[in-house]
Amino acid sequence: MTTTRKHTALPKAQILVEALPWLTRHHGKTVVIKFGGNAMVDEELKAAFAQDVVFLRHAGLKPVVVHGGGPQISAALDRHGIVSEFKAGLRVTTEDAMDVVRMVLAGQVQRELVGLLNRHGPLAVGLTGEDAHTITATKHLPEIDGELVDIGRVGEITAIDTGAIEALLADGRIPVVSSIARSQDDGHVYNVNADTAAAALAAALGAETLMVLTDVEGLYEDWPHSDEVISRLTATQLEKLLPELSSGMVPKMQGCLHAVRGGVRTARVIDGRVQHSILLEIFTDEGIGTMVVPDEPEGDAP
Ligand SMILES: Nc1ncnc2c1ncn2[C@@H]1O[C@H](COP(=O)(O)OP(=O)(O)O)[C@@H](O)[C@H]1O
Ligand SMILES: CC(=O)N[C@@H](CCC(=O)OP(=O)(O)O)C(=O)O
């Protein structure tokens, strides 16, 4: 009886021990995890995501969740008879659309994630960039074909105040942040792309890792013609690649570059459609998906 129990328990013990180097390296470190709206495809996946985040927290890391909700916003706008339009990868956000964006992100998606995390204990606290001046933005005017274009209430981040998030982390909580920013004068709010918000927070928090969960395996080398994933690239290599990227990958990879240049040790784009993708990332040496790292110091370059 005892021997059988030992036999079945041994592989579990080995698996835990295998994770030890990663867990030791990351103990006490902040990990910003961006959960994209496209990765939130089913209930089981969302529950598994919450388990992974709680696991990290209990393993001694400090996870911060930043969530998106693009498809959920589009569906709600549709119900309100508002057509979704994107320019330069960003949602054209009218005053009316902004009300819906805020309602969906802060009132629906964030609440759901907070609820899933709190099934495991009193851990998660939701906030938006409006709270305690966490994210301040100014009107973003993207340049398209050499012209600055007005896309409404879309914000460009000008300042991050990490005070509230750090207080929550110090109290053992898991902050869950919606990508909405305040204006400098608190007169209105801005819609910010969630990848951009996650990257800015990761840099400002001095996070060890930024993990971006999305609905593809990683950055494809020659999208949409092939599904060859680029497994690792340096900041400079990514910078060269940026002008060739399209749609949702633009803010994602710009964000990874910003984070790594801002001191984050690694930024990873991983497949959020795979159950427990965060834990898989820990248990595989090279990780899955695409990893962006700072430039190699002179002399170390291949
Ligand atoms: N080079 C590329 N590699 C992978 N995906 C790409 C690439 N270029 C564009 N994409 C598109 O970007 C999408 C991911 O971005 P997005 O839809 O904004 O996801 P999320 O909701 O997770 O932020 C992919 O589903 C794919 O359609
Ligand atoms: C300005 C802008 O485009 N904001 C995004 C915010 C949500 C988001 O980024 O969600 P995903 O991560 O799921 O794409 C939007 O309105 O869709």
Side-chain angles (χ1 to χ4, degrees):
M1 181 68 181
T2 324
T3 327
T4 321
R5 205 178 309 139
K6 266 193 200 146
H7 269 306
T8 51
L10 194 59
K12 291 181 190 162
Q14 275 164 343
I15 285 167
L16 287 175
V17 167
E18 235 174 81
L20 206 51
W22 194 96
L23 292 173
T24 308
R25 254 197 336 270
H26 290 81
H27 193 87
K29 301 271 167 59
T30 302
V31 180
V32 174
I33 304 160
K34 191 270 173 157
F35 198 27
N38 278 311
M40 299 177 196
V41 285
D42 70 52
E43 300 311 310
E44 263 179 58
L45 264 180
K46 282 186 271 191
F49 167 82
Q51 284 176 324
D52 287 9
V53 173
V54 171
F55 181 90
L56 292 186
R57 157 68 182 71
H58 288 317
L61 285 85
K62 295 174 176 168
V64 175
V65 176
V66 179
H67 69 86
Q72 294 79 353
I73 295 169
S74 296
L77 286 173
D78 203 35
R79 286 195 296 275
H80 284 78
I82 303 173
V83 179
S84 291
E85 189 192 353
F86 287 83
K87 285 188 181 168
L90 302 167
R91 185 185 305 278
V92 177
T93 310
T94 60
E95 208 74 43
D96 288 347
M98 188 63 229
D99 289 341
V100 177
V101 169
R102 196 187 201 188
M103 205 160 63
V104 172
L105 292 182
Q108 191 184 314
V109 181
Q110 183 214 86
R111 290 294 94 206
E112 192 184 351
L113 290 177
V114 166
L116 286 168
L117 288 160
N118 284 340
R119 279 190 195 165
H120 303 277
L123 295 166
V125 177
L127 69 157
T128 86
E130 300 160 70
D131 294 287
H133 292 195
T134 298
I135 307 176
T136 304
T138 183
K139 189 180 172 76
H140 180 48
L141 293 166
E143 195 180 316
I144 303 172
D145 298 330
E147 293 207 6
L148 297 181
V149 181
D150 187 343
I151 53 169
R153 283 262 179 263
V154 174
E156 181 176 342
I157 298 174
T158 53
I160 299 273
D161 185 330
T162 56
I165 293 180
E166 270 166 323
L168 288 170
L169 291 175
D171 196 30
R173 313 289 174 183
I174 303 173
V176 179
V177 189
S178 310
S179 57
I180 300 166
R182 65 184 277 265
S183 62
Q184 186 69 44
D185 62 358
D186 284 307
H188 49 258
V189 294
Y190 286 114
N191 182 10
V192 178
N193 173 276
D195 296 315
T196 313
L201 282 172
L205 286 162
E208 171 84 356
T209 305
L210 168 67
M211 283 191 191
V212 182
L213 271 66
T214 185
D215 66 343
V216 279
E217 287 163 87
L219 178 64
Y220 293 137
E221 182 137 20
D222 185 19
W223 188 83
H225 308 292
S226 111
D227 56 5
E228 187 85 20
V229 175
I230 304 176
S231 58
R232 187 177 187 277
L233 74 174
T234 64
T236 300
Q237 287 168 337
L238 172 58
E239 196 166 32
K240 287 196 190 122
L241 210 72
L242 275 182
E244 292 166 33
L245 299 181
S246 59
S247 62
M249 268 300 142
V250 178
K252 228 173 276 307
M253 299 318 297
Q254 270 173 346
C256 288
L257 183 64
H258 174 83
V260 166
R261 286 262 155 91
V264 175
R265 234 171 49 89
T266 55
R268 291 154 182 265
V269 177
I270 56 181
D271 195 342
R273 299 165 306 175
V274 176
Q275 264 203 18
H276 299 296
S277 51
I278 299 175
L279 293 187
L280 281 176
E281 193 63 22
I282 298 173
F283 288 107
T284 48
D285 277 347
E286 267 305 293
I288 51 170
T290 300
M291 173 162 83
V292 183
V293 294
D295 291 323
E296 263 106 26
E298 299 258 324
D300 285 3

